Amino acid sequence: MSVKDALREQRIETPSWAYANSGTRFKVFAQQGVPRTPYEKIDDAAVVHRLTGVAPTVALHIPWDRVEDYGKLASYARDRGVALGAINSNVFQDDDYKLGSVCHPDPAVRRKAIGHLLECVDIMDATGSRDLKLWFADGLNYPGQDNLRARQDRLAEALQEVYDRLGDQRMLLEYKLFEPAFYTTDVPDWGTAYAHCLQLGEKAQVVIDTGHHAPGTNIEFIVSFLLRANKLGAFDFNSRFYADDDLMVGAADPFQLFRIMHEIVLADALTPAAGIAFMLDQCHNLEPKIPAIIRSVLNVQEATAKALLVDHEALNNAQQAGDVLGANAALMDAYNTDVRPLLKELREEMGLDPDPMAAYARSGYAEQIVRERVGGEAAGWGA
């Protein structure tokens, strides 16, 4: 497959919550024209897909995107040229979850959390979504606060019940080093997530959020390991400078993003048929929402294009010969290539504007939604 063909088939899912008012734990700066309903979020996602050509699905977050009729919402999305993607659960915002959700010592709280996860599977049935994405804020702030092993037992039991409810669908388990718990987190790393998914079965796979690691972590090694084990289900793309900053993907370390995509290309796992969901998970606080998402999609495209340009024959020959500098040069030559002309040419071939950012600025859509989205309550959360 040619570089252009591979890029043409690439798919990047955008998150509904990134179109709404979102930000840091300290402050959310509200913006004009943000969506008020899940339907308006889909409108914005459709604009991103029309301009980029590679973002045909939008992930939902429940209860932030709760509606009375999910079949109607799915139909609305199809009419606008997109589809509903992963269903993200939320077991971290209710007061009941102060000491955890599925790992909570109180069986009643655990039952409430599991009930929500099962509700999300019901929603998947209605929307046609393939993926249930799970992230748990569960953890401890102090030694002795709870029994570490018992919490893992509770987690395993909850995951098993939800797994057993799945149809022709997948469970994607996310991990996070810390926050909001600071002594220990119940799913703190890829190894913990992998162990639980391995025990559950083939429909359980790991999500790598690129912002959820300690500084200096070799994320591409994790990517390579999980690909080899057939347990990499999805990415949540973002960037961080310190912790989980949820900045635009590629903003902090574009070379890391390239290295990650290089492992994906090596494993022939770029196409949708490979089963890996490439998703954005970002909270745009200072920058305007839709342009930030477009820029994020373009950043992933650029990193992917560079990864596709690696001379694998030269790389392999250098590796086999023990030529350390030659092998490194094969990667660096691809990374240092300016792929923007290639991507502009590809977009023109796809019938798109070669510069999606400029096309959005000219479209007048930003001004339109500011005029039209007056009154009601903007979607998002405060801080």
Side-chain angles (χ1 to χ4, degrees), residues 2-3 21 27 69 87 153 174 217 255-256 263 284 327 339 343 352 354:
S2 72
V3 171
N21 281 325
K27 173 65 178 176
D69 188 336
I87 302 300
D153 290 339
E174 189 174 350
T217 298
F255 185 47
Q256 180 191 69
E263 294 299 327
H284 307 295
V339 296
L343 287 167
L352 305 171

Side-chain angles (χ1 to χ4, degrees), residues 214-230:
T217 298
N218 188 322
I219 298 176
E220 59 267 29
F221 168 80
I222 303 171
V223 172
S224 177
F225 185 98
L226 292 176
L227 282 169
R228 181 176 179 272
N230 197 31

Side-chain angles (χ1 to χ4, degrees), residues 17-32 34 64 93 283-287 289 378-383:
W17 53 96
Y19 296 100
N21 281 325
S22 60
T24 71
R25 283 75 173 151
F26 304 102
K27 173 65 178 176
V28 173
F29 297 105
Q31 298 183 18
Q32 291 183 307
V34 301
W64 300 339
Q93 285 196 308
C283 295
H284 307 295
N285 197 19
L286 306 180
E287 61 274 49
K289 313 296 182 178
W381 61 91

Side-chain angles (χ1 to χ4, degrees), residues 177-252:
L177 179 65
F178 77 100
E179 192 188 41
F182 292 100
Y183 168 59
T184 185
T185 304
D186 289 306
V187 189
D189 51 41
W190 69 272
T192 305
Y194 171 71
H196 280 285
C197 289
L198 193 63
Q199 184 176 25
L200 288 165
E202 62 180 12
K203 292 190 289 187
Q205 295 191 303
V206 180
V207 179
I208 295 177
D209 185 307
T210 50
H212 285 187
H213 304 83
T217 298
N218 188 322
I219 298 176
E220 59 267 29
F221 168 80
I222 303 171
V223 172
S224 177
F225 185 98
L226 292 176
L227 282 169
R228 181 176 179 272
N230 197 31
K231 279 296 181 183
L232 178 56
F235 283 95
D236 274 3
F237 281 132
N238 53 49
S239 284
R240 65 158 179 80
F241 287 99
Y242 295 99
D244 183 19
D245 299 338
D246 279 338
L247 301 175
M248 292 187 302
V249 58

Side-chain angles (χ1 to χ4, degrees), residues 339-371:
V339 296
R340 291 174 297 177
L342 169 69
L343 287 167
K344 287 183 177 180
E345 186 176 292
L346 172 65
R347 293 183 189 114
E348 289 176 336
E349 293 175 2
M350 294 173 64
L352 305 171
D353 191 289
D355 186 345
M357 292 291 288
Y360 178 74
R362 293 194 307 269
S363 71
Y365 187 77
E367 294 78 12
Q368 174 188 334
I369 57 179
V370 169
R371 290 194 306 270

Side-chain angles (χ1 to χ4, degrees), residues 112-291:
K112 173 182 175 179
I114 294 171
H116 170 69
L117 303 184
L118 295 173
E119 175 199 8
C120 288
V121 182
D122 293 339
I123 293 170
M124 293 169 66
D125 291 340
T127 61
S129 298
R130 176 184 65 164
D131 295 330
L132 171 67
K133 190 140 70 70
L134 305 178
W135 173 72
F136 300 106
D138 294 39
L140 308 174
N141 276 352
Y142 296 99
Q145 181 181 328
D146 198 359
N147 185 306
L148 292 175
R149 180 168 177 171
R151 291 178 74 87
Q152 288 298 308
D153 290 339
R154 299 166 197 157
L155 172 62
E157 291 170 4
L159 292 176
Q160 187 67 62
E161 182 174 345
V162 179
Y163 185 89
D164 291 342
R165 167 64 181 81
L166 296 174
D168 186 21
Q169 299 152 329
R170 303 191 305 175
M171 172 189 292
L172 303 178
L173 181 58
E174 189 174 350
Y175 59 90
K176 187 175 184 179
L177 179 65
F178 77 100
E179 192 188 41
F182 292 100
Y183 168 59
T184 185
T185 304
D186 289 306
V187 189
D189 51 41
W190 69 272
T192 305
Y194 171 71
H196 280 285
C197 289
L198 193 63
Q199 184 176 25
L200 288 165
E202 62 180 12
K203 292 190 289 187
Q205 295 191 303
V206 180
V207 179
I208 295 177
D209 185 307
T210 50
H212 285 187
H213 304 83
T217 298
N218 188 322
I219 298 176
E220 59 267 29
F221 168 80
I222 303 171
V223 172
S224 177
F225 185 98
L226 292 176
L227 282 169
R228 181 176 179 272
N230 197 31
K231 279 296 181 183
L232 178 56
F235 283 95
D236 274 3
F237 281 132
N238 53 49
S239 284
R240 65 158 179 80
F241 287 99
Y242 295 99
D244 183 19
D245 299 338
D246 279 338
L247 301 175
M248 292 187 302
V249 58
D253 190 349
F255 185 47
Q256 180 191 69
L257 181 59
F258 161 77
R259 300 193 309 265
I260 290 170
M261 297 312 301
H262 170 62
E263 294 299 327
I264 295 291
V265 171
L266 276 180
D268 194 25
L270 184 61
T271 65
I276 298 175
F278 299 96
M279 300 184 270
L280 304 180
D281 183 10
Q282 303 173 176
C283 295
H284 307 295
N285 197 19
L286 306 180
E287 61 274 49
K289 313 296 182 178
I290 297 174

